Amino acid sequence: MEQITVGLTGNPNCGKSCVFNSLTGAKQHVGNYPGVTVEKVEGWCEHKGYRIRIVDLPGTYSISAHSMDEKVARDFVLSDECDVIVNVIDSNNFERNLFLTTQLFELNKPLVAALNMYDVATKNGLEYDKEKIGTFLNGTAVSTVGNKGEGIKELLDAVVYEHNCRREFDNRINYGSDIEERLERLTCLISKEVTAGDEKKARYHALQLLQMDCDINEFGENAAKVAQEAISELNRMYGDNPHILMAEKRYGFISGLFEQTVRKTVEIRHDASDAIDKILLNRVLGLPIFFGMMYLVFKLTFWLGDPVMTVIENGFDLLKGFVNSAWPAGAEGPLQSLIVDGIIGGVGGVVVFLPNIIFLFLAIAVLEDSGYMARAAFLMDRIMKKIGLHGQSFIPMLIGFGCTVPAIMGTRILNERRSRLTTIMILPLISCGARLPIYALIIPAFFPKHLHGFMMWSMYVIGILLAIILAKVLRKTLFKGKNTVMLMELPPYRVPTLRSVFTHMWQKSWLYLKKAGTLILAISIILWAMTSYPKLPEEQTAGMVPKQAQAAELKHTAAGRIATTIEPATKLMGFDYKIGTALLGAFAAKEVFVAQMGIVNSLGDAGAESKPLREKLKEQYTPLQGFCIMLFCLISTPCVATVAICRKETQSWAFAMGQFIGLTVLAFVITAAVYQMGILIT
């Protein structure tokens, strides 16, 4: 007869002994674990043709190995001897008991959750969705009343099922990008140190190292050094030890699981986070508070960023003037134009919006680190479900406010392929940081000051609404299918540390500056060349006024010829050939649109009094055209990097190119319709 060995675990006083007695009856044996004085109790029973050996492990609140009982329990459930883990949970103290459950969950072994004392919990007004609990834990959940023997047959059924169903395990709690990045590094190092067949446990051992749950030298000098550095870095960044930070994330997992699987007919929770959540997660107030908070963020972005931006803008104008005045008279030529128009005009036009980037990401870092952004995802869950997605899809969308590339990579948290593909397809509609310089250029140029925050907020809301509509269409057509249930984590609120907020803000701002100094600098030089060559023979501009000559020269260049060719189409959206050349550059990176507008509007300024780019745009275009530029840049095809990551994550050129072409066509149709209707109305 085949044998199944079960490790019976649980907190002290969860009724584990009663369950053990009901399972084994008189068939018990008492001894000691080898080398220690901890009592070892085991028994057995037969069920569905299996001899089931049940080892009653010491009651423990965790498997962190701080005491001998915890070490014995941990070693047994980690060993190959244990086929199935049965975690007995006191249903009346569900959240408290789940801390041990989260640790067992991460062991990636067959798991059965026995919700014990279920009769008392029901009387106390608690109702559990056992199917969802089992799904979230990648195992099975059953209800038991150990002292009455109720639910024991179902428990044994679940043990046999979990033993035979051969699940794929990759159970993990998301500890946030800072911890996950260090965990990944440690996991790779540990994988090389453990014996063959134990590689799957490498992440668990990495968790142990970061939590200081084992000898730091256990997995070699390299791993010890990396772990020590990671612990120190996280300590400096958050002002707390990693084990506290990770415990908070586990409680976030627990909170999410509780909110989604337990229905309370009697109010019993009264801690501070719950009290705040009563307002912020209120079914009526929650969403208006979220949108109001985002509006405030954008308002502050302009209010605080504008004065600094003006200083930087004036600085670049002074620099251009200095270069022009210092240039030897009569020696003006391509090199001067490259420095003034290509480099200062192009890169300077992008760098000038750094203050807006800094203040926006500072505000988002505060919201993220305080735990509010997880609530935003929870609030959006109801809306996301209506369009066929899960609230978890909102997490990559939130990342997408920074950059679409990591957002697409972030969709790996979605297990269901159709939901993941849908999320990937709609993510470019979320306004990324690269679009922010475009909004920051256009909005102050064409709209009154009191509307700056509102216009910025509108662009983000339009993107979200379009993403919702597109998701609904995709789920009804290309990606039909039922949604699987997924866990929403709700970490407790915490006051963000200055170091962590500034670290996150600086990381994103530095990436922006780095991009301006590398990719955008290179593209600016290429675009300067495309907008400067080939040169129009001087005799062809003879007799023209300066502005006419400048337009004729630009149209004669490589970029001008391309833009002139597509002008009949772009005109429908209200764009001229200058905007057309800038949009061509934006295919490489969105910020290049601003750089290119800076270049084409700087050409020919040498020696003349230079005006800020926003003033030049205001003289040439209307507010309707300004709005259409933002609309087209919001909806149109993502940058080259997004196409590449889409191809990598979907493993399909068809999806990548479908997204590229589809969004460009959609942007054209909507922008042209808005412009034409705007013309009719005005």
Side-chain angles (χ1 to χ4, degrees), residues 638-654:
C639 61
V640 173
T642 304
V643 176
I645 198 69
C646 180
R647 157 70 184 84
K648 187 182 172 194
E649 294 296 316
T650 60
Q651 295 294 305
S652 163
W653 275 113

Side-chain angles (χ1 to χ4, degrees), residues 216-285:
I216 199 158
N217 294 310
E218 193 173 331
F219 301 102
E221 282 183 19
N222 274 349
K225 188 180 170 193
V226 172
Q228 197 57 62
E229 284 172 0
I231 291 166
S232 303
E233 286 166 2
L234 291 169
N235 244 320
R236 283 197 299 274
M237 195 179 291
Y238 291 97
D240 267 328
N241 287 322
H243 72 270
I244 293 175
L245 301 171
M246 292 162 85
E248 283 186 351
K249 292 293 180 182
R250 286 201 176 102
Y251 280 117
F253 181 93
I254 291 166
S255 241
L257 193 149
F258 188 91
E259 287 287 341
Q260 291 179 74
T261 60
V262 182
R263 197 169 75 85
K264 294 170 286 181
T265 53
V266 177
E267 194 55 54
I268 54 176
R269 304 175 73 211
H270 294 292
D271 64 32
S273 284
D274 292 334
I276 299 170
D277 280 346
K278 276 183 183 173
I279 300 169
L280 297 186
L281 295 184
N282 183 281
R283 293 180 74 83
V284 178
L285 297 175

Side-chain angles (χ1 to χ4, degrees), residues 43-321:
W44 60 91
C45 63
E46 291 178 5
H47 188 72
K48 289 189 173 177
Y50 289 91
R51 184 180 191 272
I52 301 178
R53 176 186 167 225
I54 299 155
V55 179
D56 186 11
L57 298 167
T60 173
Y61 292 105
S62 77
I63 52 171
S64 295
H66 293 307
S67 69
M68 190 53 70
D69 283 356
E70 288 172 346
K71 185 175 185 311
V72 163
R74 185 199 67 183
D75 290 348
F76 186 81
V77 293
L78 260 179
S79 71
D80 293 334
E81 190 182 351
C82 177
D83 299 314
V84 178
I85 301 169
V86 171
N87 177 208
V88 181
I89 296 168
D90 176 359
S91 303
N92 296 285
N93 291 297
F94 188 61
E95 283 183 281
R96 193 188 71 190
N97 280 229
L98 281 179
F99 190 81
L100 171 64
T101 311
T102 58
Q103 292 182 312
L104 299 171
F105 165 76
E106 290 188 292
L107 293 178
N108 285 309
K109 296 192 81 166
L111 177 65
V112 177
L115 308 181
N116 199 31
M117 297 190 263
Y118 200 76
D119 53 342
V120 181
T122 306
K123 281 181 189 169
N124 287 337
L126 295 167
E127 291 178 8
Y128 295 84
D129 187 331
K130 296 189 283 286
E131 191 180 337
K132 264 191 181 177
I133 294 171
T135 305
F136 289 150
L137 296 177
N138 198 16
T140 302
V142 296
S143 55
T144 57
V145 184
N147 59 352
K148 295 178 184 174
E150 292 176 8
I152 297 302
K153 179 182 170 300
E154 289 77 8
L155 178 57
L156 289 169
D157 285 345
V159 167
V160 173
Y161 175 77
E162 287 299 325
H163 175 66
N164 292 329
C165 75
R166 308 292 176 197
R167 290 181 190 273
E168 287 291 324
F169 290 108
D170 186 23
N171 299 340
R172 54 178 68 194
I173 290 170
N174 186 348
Y175 293 101
S177 57
D178 294 324
I179 295 178
E180 285 293 334
E181 184 188 315
R182 288 158 179 84
L183 267 177
E184 193 66 32
R185 211 181 308 153
L186 273 173
T187 304
C188 289
L189 286 173
I190 293 171
S191 297
K192 297 171 188 169
E193 300 292 333
V194 295
T195 52
D198 274 356
E199 294 86 354
K200 283 192 173 179
K201 294 176 185 170
R203 180 179 163 90
Y204 175 75
H205 294 311
L207 284 168
Q208 282 184 300
L209 275 180
L210 275 191
Q211 294 175 123
M212 296 178 281
D213 275 351
C214 61
D215 179 2
I216 199 158
N217 294 310
E218 193 173 331
F219 301 102
E221 282 183 19
N222 274 349
K225 188 180 170 193
V226 172
Q228 197 57 62
E229 284 172 0
I231 291 166
S232 303
E233 286 166 2
L234 291 169
N235 244 320
R236 283 197 299 274
M237 195 179 291
Y238 291 97
D240 267 328
N241 287 322
H243 72 270
I244 293 175
L245 301 171
M246 292 162 85
E248 283 186 351
K249 292 293 180 182
R250 286 201 176 102
Y251 280 117
F253 181 93
I254 291 166
S255 241
L257 193 149
F258 188 91
E259 287 287 341
Q260 291 179 74
T261 60
V262 182
R263 197 169 75 85
K264 294 170 286 181
T265 53
V266 177
E267 194 55 54
I268 54 176
R269 304 175 73 211
H270 294 292
D271 64 32
S273 284
D274 292 334
I276 299 170
D277 280 346
K278 276 183 183 173
I279 300 169
L280 297 186
L281 295 184
N282 183 281
R283 293 180 74 83
V284 178
L285 297 175
L287 279 175
I289 290 174
F290 169 61
F291 286 115
M293 210 170 283
M294 293 314 292
Y295 173 75
L296 196 62
V297 165
F298 299 135
K299 186 85 181 163
L300 281 174
T301 298
F302 274 106
W303 183 60
L304 297 172
D306 274 358
V308 191
M309 204 169 75
T310 305
V311 171
I312 299 175
E313 203 168 45
N314 291 337
F316 276 110
D317 286 342
L318 284 173
L319 182 62
K320 282 162 88 174

